[in-house]
Amino acid sequence: MSLVPTSRSSDRIRLTAKQGNIYVWGWQSQARFRFAVCGRRFGKTFLVAEEIRRAARLAHLRCVPVENEIWYGAPTFKQAKRVFWRLLKRAIPTDWLLHGRWFETECCGILKSGHVIRIVGLDNYDDLRGSGLFFFVGDEWDDAKPQAWSEVILPMLATASGHALFIGSPKGFSALHAGYVKGQPGGRERCEILGLYDVAGRPCAAA
């Protein structure tokens, strides 16, 4: 039985053009960390589900050590489970999973390749130390504790040169905005009006 996850069209989420514009910048050397500022009803969680599917395949194809996990993180564990757990279980086919099952208590699954997909809350970030990270999604990033990034997530990503996507709704001149600006050439904004989404390393455009 193959350990490589295979994609079937019936399992895939059809992304909109704007979601796809963020997706295509993933796993490029000039966009290791992406910042996406998305309006309400943008479909952030559907985009994230496709991002995690791709990371699951790449982890095996690139022979990433299995101690480097794939995480979806939200400001609290309760929020992470409410927003993404059911969608994650629909997005990842059971035949990708070891023994075809998810671990409901820990909200995680182990792929046949041995890699772990997990949802986490960032409120108790000290409890997250230990593993490495191959891919991380930080949802509603402006509401997460800044120390979760600097003290835990960033060092964990360094173990496998992992990538990350930070996503959330517009909330003024915030952490998401600062990350977007940092990703622009010269660290400056490229336009005055932010569109529904902005991706680090890409000129922003009004929606």
Side-chain angles (χ1 to χ4, degrees):
M1 184 178 296
S2 174
L3 299 181
V4 182
T6 56
S7 297
R8 300 193 302 271
S9 59
S10 60
D11 298 323
R12 302 299 299 273
I13 295 170
R14 186 178 180 86
L15 297 179
T16 66
K18 291 179 179 179
Q19 292 167 340
N21 202 20
I22 297 171
Y23 183 86
V24 298
W25 275 88
W27 302 98
Q28 298 189 31
S29 59
Q30 68 270 38
R32 183 180 168 207
F33 301 148
R34 290 172 290 153
F35 292 80
V37 184
C38 309
R40 301 291 181 185
R41 313 300 298 175
F42 180 84
K44 297 189 295 294
T45 51
F46 294 106
L47 167 62
V48 168
E50 279 298 294
E51 293 275 1
I52 288 180
R53 280 178 61 104
R54 174 169 59 181
R57 289 180 55 81
L58 289 176
H60 179 82
L61 293 173
R62 296 185 179 184
C63 299
V64 175
V66 295
E67 60 267 20
N68 296 291
E69 300 185 356
I70 298 166
W71 285 6
Y72 166 88
T76 68
F77 181 74
K78 182 178 180 180
Q79 181 179 358
K81 186 173 183 178
R82 175 176 55 83
V83 170
F84 196 62
W85 181 231
R86 284 185 293 180
L87 179 58
L88 175 63
K89 291 189 290 184
R90 294 200 303 270
I92 304 296
T94 54
D95 62 3
W96 289 21
L97 298 171
L98 188 66
H99 307 308
R101 62 185 291 262
W102 293 92
F103 296 92
E104 293 288 339
T105 302
E106 297 184 12
C107 289
C108 71
I110 304 175
L111 300 174
K112 290 176 179 176
S113 62
H115 297 98
V116 175
I117 301 175
R118 187 187 306 275
I119 69 170
V120 300
L122 301 174
D123 43 347
N124 296 317
Y125 57 87
D126 276 331
D127 294 340
L128 303 177
R129 303 176 191 269
S131 67
L133 277 178
F134 177 61
F135 184 61
F136 172 76
V137 175
D139 197 2
E140 294 302 340
W141 189 242
D142 283 334
D143 295 329
K145 295 180 179 179
Q147 299 91 330
W149 167 246
S150 60
E151 297 181 16
V152 179
I153 303 299
L154 180 58
M156 293 169 69
L157 285 167
T159 64
S161 298
H163 285 232
L165 170 64
F166 307 96
I167 195 165
S169 305
K171 292 188 177 179
F173 294 94
S174 56
L176 275 173
H177 177 267
Y180 163 74
V181 171
K182 187 176 180 180
Q184 301 306 304
R188 297 187 299 274
E189 291 187 52
R190 296 285 297 277
C191 62
E192 294 181 359
I193 302 176
L194 299 180
L196 288 179
Y197 60 93
D198 297 290
V199 183
R202 185 177 182 87
C204 57

